[in-house]
Amino acid sequence: MADATTEPLLTPTIDTDGAPFWEYAAQGELRIQACTACGELRFPPRPCCPHCQSFDSEWRRMAGRGRIWSYVRPHPPLLPGYAAHAPYNAIIVELADAPRIRLVGNLVAAPDAPLDSVEPERLRIGAKVQVAFTDVGGVAMPRWLLERP
């Protein structure tokens, strides 16, 4: 049995609808699915537009900037792979160029930094962040960096 220091972090289950998101992430791009009929952005990705019911879509490149909309610092009990990183944060980021789109991730000091690399006192609602990608279990995961460290 693996101990907490070797237990892997969770990776997403990649389905057909979301696969392009992860393919672009592997290229260092943040893209969001958009309806080509009405222009509305949607996340999470899905086959049908919830606004106009069109099945036509494209993936639009985002600037990768946003602000912390909310955050949490998980407390025990935690999954074994995460307990070794505690206290860490999980944030919800509202994208600057798509305010109705919010993504979940972690605020870190550098793309490959540990999940606990930002002091809890530095977390605040409204803080400006930018996306960075790092490999977690073979998947390019979006993480977030403070625009002004």
Side-chain angles (χ1 to χ4, degrees):
M1 180 173 197
D3 65 30
T5 59
T6 60
E7 183 90 14
L9 300 179
L10 298 175
T11 56
T13 299
I14 300 173
D15 61 9
T16 305
D17 296 323
F21 176 87
W22 300 106
E23 290 165 10
Y24 287 117
Q27 298 170 33
E29 294 181 13
L30 180 63
R31 291 196 181 228
I32 299 295
Q33 189 182 46
C35 178
T36 54
C38 72
E40 289 288 332
L41 296 170
R42 61 184 186 250
F43 195 87
R46 49 196 171 269
C48 181
C49 176
H51 303 281
C52 74
Q53 287 68 54
S54 172
F55 284 88
D56 299 325
S57 67
E58 64 184 4
W59 288 84
R60 292 194 190 149
R61 189 171 187 166
M62 301 285 109
R65 288 183 155 55
R67 67 177 192 91
I68 296 176
W69 188 79
S70 187
Y71 67 90
V72 66
R73 290 183 49 228
H75 295 280
L78 301 169
L79 294 172
Y82 290 83
H85 298 277
Y88 65 93
N89 64 73
I91 65 173
I92 299 175
V93 173
E94 178 183 73
L95 295 181
D97 45 2
R100 290 183 17 210
I101 302 294
R102 296 184 182 117
L103 303 176
V104 176
N106 302 99
L107 183 66
V108 292
D112 294 326
L115 297 182
D116 62 353
S117 62
V118 173
E119 294 296 321
E121 302 80 41
R122 305 213 43 221
L123 289 169
R124 67 176 177 77
I125 304 288
K128 292 184 178 184
V129 293
Q130 62 186 40
V131 74
F133 298 92
T134 192
D135 183 273
V136 176
V139 177
M141 295 292 289
R143 292 198 172 162
W144 300 91
L145 309 172
L146 288 170
E147 280 194 2
R148 284 183 268 162

